[in-house]
Amino acid sequence: MTFRPVQKISDAELEIMRVLWQSEDALPVSEIRKRLKEKTNWEDTTIKTLVNRLVKKGAVTQESRKVYYYRPAVSEAEYGRNATDELIEKVYSGSARNLVAALISADTLSDEDLSELRAMFENGGKA
C-alpha cells in the first residue's frame, strides 16, 4: 500500500501521527491528548479537529467503541518514503542524486553516516 495523500499532512497533524505510530494499539482522543501534553497545550477540540482531518485524508482510521479509537492507516516508513519522494520531486527536480549531492556538499553527513550509506549502496539498499 502506497500512501499518497490528497492533501499534505501539516506539522500539527504529523505530531498526532507520531503519537499513533508510537502506540501498539488504537487510541482515543483523550489518550492522544495525554501523550501530547508535554509537547503541546492543545485542547481536546484541537486534537479532534486534527484527527478528523487525518481521517478525511486517509492517513488514520477510526473504529467506534464507547468512543472513537484511532490508528494510523499508513506506517511511518511509508509516510517517510512518500515525503522524501515529494521533496526530491519538488526541490531536486526528481533527482535523488542531486539530493545526496546537496547533503554531501553541505557537510550534513558525518563520516559514520557516509560509511553506513556506502555499505547500504554496496548491499543493494539494505542496512
Side-chain angles (χ1 to χ4, degrees), residues 12 15-16 32-43 46-47 50:
E15 289 299 320
I16 303 287
I32 295 170
R33 181 174 191 234
K34 181 179 170 184
R35 294 182 186 197
L36 285 171
K37 188 176 183 179
E38 293 180 17
K39 289 185 178 184
T40 72
N41 59 355
W42 295 338
E43 296 295 327
T46 301
I47 294 170
L50 293 169

Side-chain angles (χ1 to χ4, degrees), residues 5 16 33 39 59 61 65 70 72 75 81 87 93 95 99 105 123:
I16 303 287
R33 181 174 191 234
K39 289 185 178 184
T61 60
R65 299 181 192 173
Y70 301 92
S75 72
R81 281 190 300 273
L87 173 73
S93 302
S95 172
L99 167 64
S105 67
N123 293 319

Side-chain angles (χ1 to χ4, degrees), residues 36-84:
L36 285 171
K37 188 176 183 179
E38 293 180 17
K39 289 185 178 184
T40 72
N41 59 355
W42 295 338
E43 296 295 327
D44 280 347
T45 54
T46 301
I47 294 170
K48 286 178 187 176
T49 298
L50 293 169
V51 168
N52 286 331
R53 287 181 190 166
L54 288 165
V55 170
K56 287 179 184 175
K57 292 177 181 183
V60 169
T61 60
Q62 67 182 13
E63 60 184 81
S64 182
R65 299 181 192 173
K66 289 182 181 179
V67 296
Y68 283 112
Y69 279 70
Y70 301 92
R71 72 175 65 248
V74 60
S75 72
E76 190 171 9
E78 288 171 318
Y79 177 76
R81 281 190 300 273
N82 181 261
T84 301

Side-chain angles (χ1 to χ4, degrees), residues 4-23:
R4 300 280 183 212
V6 175
Q7 300 172 16
K8 294 185 185 229
I9 291 177
S10 70
D11 290 344
E13 292 165 343
L14 193 54
E15 289 299 320
I16 303 287
M17 292 301 295
R18 286 188 177 118
V19 167
L20 294 173
W21 285 325
Q22 291 170 359
S23 175

Side-chain angles (χ1 to χ4, degrees), residues 73-108:
V74 60
S75 72
E76 190 171 9
E78 288 171 318
Y79 177 76
R81 281 190 300 273
N82 181 261
T84 301
D85 289 347
E86 288 180 8
L87 173 73
I88 290 169
E89 188 60 40
K90 181 178 180 180
V91 178
Y92 298 99
S93 302
S95 172
R97 182 192 156 284
N98 289 344
L99 167 64
V100 173
L103 290 170
I104 292 170
S105 67
D107 287 331
T108 305

